[in-house]
Amino acid sequence: MKAIRRILVVLDPSLLRTPALERGLALARALRAELWLALYDRGPRLGLLGLGDRAEAHQLETLMREQQSTRLEELRLSVENEVALPVHSIDAPERASGERILSDLAHHQIDLLIKDVGHESSLRRLVFLPLDWELLRSSPVPVWMAGAGSAGLPQRIVAGVDPVHPEHGAGALNDAILGTAQALQKLAGGAAHLRVFAAFTGLPAGLQSMDPVGLSLGISFDELYEQMRVDHRAALDALMSRHHLANDQAVMLYGPAAYSILDAMEGDQPDLLVVGTLRRHGLDRLLMGSTVERLIGETPCDVLAVPAEAASV
């Protein structure tokens, strides 16, 4: 896991102590990291809502911005008493945008971004907005999406890996995922619990639809399935061994990856799901991977999306 020295929390416009801020404080204390508080959204443009004439609307907007700036400074001073290092603030005049936040990440050399997301209490699912998806797809640093009830350090952590995918298993992404999950487990202390989920989907869909008669295969489909299952488990065990994790911490699931992992999480009830993302360029940056997209969109807990680049120290 890359060392985390600076954490940026995107504040809610209400400037209340939301789950993202609580997670950020807990991590800053445990890691002795610098905490940065960023306020972007300044509320509605009063002139556009037809409230008074333009001069009066502008005056009210200016007053609101001044009051929010004052409250931001009060919040910064308040939380500074709870951490070891000075707390910094970013008082942006414009609304939040992916471009602006990514620019601040680079300018201030941020190592971890934390942001609140909505929460559907009836379904216990996080609700991601377009800005959230843009950050998840494009951020060069890990992105922590905090849901309702997040506080302190996570005690039950699930890491989702793919030990055979060319871009995951053979590359650095699985190492980044597990390295991050292990570091958080260690940070949370002896009571923290880590489980690793990997899904085996069986024979490729295209092969399943073919008639085995006349294919001249040396083995049957059943034998091929079993061979692939054994190879999948061996790759998962090798990954666990490389990270000095016990094999019984890894659970190999069966079926479509997103659905099987989500089902397993319902029983595990984790505080945090750690997944990996591959940063892409051009039109490809819109594609984060169907499995990860589904997991992030349906998970009942906090999500930490780790880009492959985070594997380097």
Side-chain angles (χ1 to χ4, degrees):
M1 176 182 174
K2 184 177 180 180
I4 295 177
R5 300 181 178 89
R6 294 185 176 185
I7 300 170
L8 175 65
V9 176
V10 176
L11 296 173
D12 185 88
S14 67
L15 289 173
L16 297 175
R17 294 183 61 133
T18 62
L21 180 54
E22 296 298 342
R23 286 291 200 205
L25 280 168
L27 289 165
R29 284 193 293 265
L31 293 166
R32 294 186 64 83
E34 287 185 13
L35 187 62
W36 289 68
L37 308 179
L39 176 63
Y40 296 101
D41 194 343
R42 294 315 191 112
R45 297 291 300 274
L46 300 180
L48 298 178
L49 298 179
L51 300 180
D53 61 32
R54 290 191 175 185
E56 292 176 341
H58 178 72
Q59 185 177 5
L60 284 173
E61 289 173 6
T62 300
L63 179 61
M64 288 171 57
R65 284 196 293 270
E66 291 174 351
Q67 290 180 341
Q68 280 192 303
S69 294
T70 299
R71 293 178 59 205
L72 173 61
E73 178 61 12
E74 292 172 348
L75 179 63
R76 186 193 69 79
L77 292 173
S78 173
V79 301
E80 194 171 51
N81 295 325
E82 303 178 34
V83 294
L85 298 177
V87 175
H88 309 273
S89 63
I90 299 173
D91 192 359
E94 68 269 24
R95 294 179 181 274
S97 69
E99 182 179 0
R100 172 58 200 263
I101 294 175
L102 293 174
S103 175
D104 285 337
L105 293 179
H107 180 72
H108 298 291
Q109 299 180 322
I110 300 298
D111 303 303
L112 174 65
L113 171 65
I114 306 180
K115 185 182 181 299
D116 288 293
V117 293
H119 196 269
E120 285 281 356
S121 58
S122 60
L123 298 175
R124 299 178 62 246
R125 295 289 184 264
L126 303 184
V127 181
F128 290 83
L129 302 175
L131 175 60
D132 300 335
W133 287 114
E134 184 176 355
L135 294 173
L136 287 164
R137 292 176 178 128
S138 304
S139 174
V141 304
V143 178
W144 190 310
M145 293 293 185
S150 303
L153 298 173
Q155 297 295 317
R156 299 183 64 83
I157 302 168
V158 164
V161 300
D162 186 343
V164 299
H165 192 287
E167 292 183 293
H168 295 201
L173 190 51
N174 278 333
D175 291 327
I177 295 168
L178 289 185
T180 300
Q182 286 178 281
L184 288 170
Q185 181 192 22
K186 183 178 180 181
L187 197 65
H193 181 64
L194 171 62
R195 298 249 282 176
V196 180
F197 289 164
F200 174 64
T201 57
L203 299 177
L207 187 59
Q208 293 179 34
S209 63
M210 295 179 66
D211 187 345
V213 178
L215 291 180
S216 300
L217 294 176
I219 58 177
S220 67
F221 275 9
D222 288 343
E223 291 171 321
L224 180 59
Y225 175 92
E226 181 60 17
Q227 180 178 314
M228 291 177 62
R229 187 194 66 79
V230 171
D231 290 345
H232 195 107
R233 182 72 220 197
L236 178 57
D237 290 345
L239 176 63
M240 298 293 286
S241 176
R242 189 162 72 242
H243 285 267
H244 308 289
L245 290 167
N247 286 352
D248 60 6
Q249 288 181 261
V251 180
M252 196 165 89
L253 307 170
Y254 296 88
Y259 294 107
S260 58
I261 292 176
L262 287 169
D263 285 345
M265 285 176 60
E266 287 293 337
D268 228 53
Q269 296 186 335
D271 305 310
L272 175 68
L273 169 65
V274 184
V275 294
T277 59
L278 292 162
R279 292 181 67 209
R280 304 182 188 278
H281 304 282
L283 292 177
D284 284 346
R285 71 183 176 83
L286 301 177
L287 305 173
M288 190 166 51
S290 58
T291 297
V292 173
E293 291 262 358
R294 173 73 67 174
L295 284 173
I296 290 177
E298 297 292 332
T299 181
C301 62
D302 282 19
V303 174
L304 177 56
V306 181
E309 293 88 338
S312 59
V313 177

